Structure formats: structure tokens, C-alpha cells
Amino acid sequence: MNSYISLRDRRFDVTSAVVRQFDGLWSVEIKTEPKEFDGEMWSPRLYHQGLRLLTHTEDNPEGASTSWRNKSDATYPHPELGLMYVFGHHDVYDTTLAFGRMDAGHIELAWDGLCDVFWSGDFTEAVPFQCRCVASVRHG
């Protein structure tokens, strides 16, 4: 699988993707290779540091998914926020994060949604993003 994060039509190769379990919660951190656009270096980072997931087994997120419209919704299920960093840290929203097949300590991950970049033009607010990657799974 080719691991990437895309912001609209701009695609970034993933350099690191880690899913970690700790104290009954899960975290996801995805980093990308820097790329120059408009005279600036872009290196999106997509992450969530406190996910509550319904999993089939305690230490395997395979097949789990979660989605939310906005962090301020009464139904927001997590104690922490999902964030995208490009030129600042901003919430992701109208989003779905799904965990696919797990094999040999790695798991397929798909994360789609909207984020704010506050750059210019089509990269200001409600920028669609897509992430497809294989992440290392760690515990503790």
C-alpha cells in the first residue's frame, strides 16, 4: 500500500505512522515528508491522542472505526481531539477513521474528513483530506 495524506489535490508521502494503545485508549500519529508549495514547506501531521474504540479484542483495533461531525457535539466519543497540523494545529471534523487488516504488528488505516489549514484560496477552511497508510501497532 502506498501510504499518503492528501489535502485536496496535494499529496504527501507518509514517513511515519504509529497506532498505540495505552490505559484503554488508542492514539494515532501520522507524519509526512516535507514538500514545497507556494514557496513554503508543507509537512502535514495527522493525529489523535485519545481514542475510545470498540474492538473485538482488547489489544487489536482491526475492524474498528469511529466518526464524528464536530468535537463540540454531545455525542463526541473521545476524551481528546483529532488534529491536523500544517501551519498550526486545527481540529479535524466531518471525519471517519477506520482500521483495516492487521498483520505482523502493522495495521491498515483509512482516515477521511475536513480540516482547516488557513493558508489561502482552496486551503483555508473545510479542506478535504484523505489518509491511507499502514501503521505500526505498539502497546504501552
Side-chain angles (χ1 to χ4, degrees):
M1 170 187 270
N2 186 11
S3 294
Y4 66 89
I5 292 176
S6 65
L7 294 168
R8 289 201 189 279
D9 60 342
R10 297 182 180 183
R11 190 169 166 142
F12 303 86
D13 294 330
V14 169
T15 58
S16 172
V18 176
V19 173
R20 185 179 309 269
Q21 181 195 35
F22 59 97
D23 294 333
L25 295 174
W26 293 86
S27 69
V28 175
E29 184 164 358
I30 304 154
K31 297 177 182 178
T32 62
E33 183 73 34
K35 211 175 209 182
E36 186 175 342
F37 291 100
D38 307 321
E40 290 288 332
M41 294 304 289
W42 294 49
S43 183
R45 179 175 157 234
L46 181 60
Y47 61 102
H48 199 301
Q49 296 176 334
L51 290 164
R52 284 194 178 108
L53 296 176
L54 295 174
T55 59
H56 297 292
T57 63
E58 186 176 302
D59 63 347
N60 183 345
E62 184 175 55
S65 69
T66 185
S67 61
W68 61 91
R69 290 187 46 81
N70 194 304
K71 70 175 181 184
S72 61
D73 292 345
T75 59
Y76 184 73
H78 311 291
E80 299 291 336
L81 304 177
L83 300 166
M84 174 76 76
Y85 175 84
V86 181
F87 298 109
H89 303 270
H90 301 288
D91 301 344
V92 297
Y93 50 96
D94 292 340
T95 189
T96 299
L97 170 57
F99 297 88
R101 193 172 68 89
M102 186 160 157
D103 184 39
H106 291 83
I107 193 161
E108 296 172 347
L109 187 144
W111 195 348
D112 300 312
L114 300 175
C115 65
D116 299 332
V117 176
F118 297 118
W119 178 246
S120 67
D122 289 339
F123 294 93
T124 305
E125 295 178 325
V127 177
F129 73 86
Q130 182 180 67
C131 177
R132 299 292 181 271
C133 67
V134 174
S136 298
V137 178
R138 299 186 184 146
H139 299 279

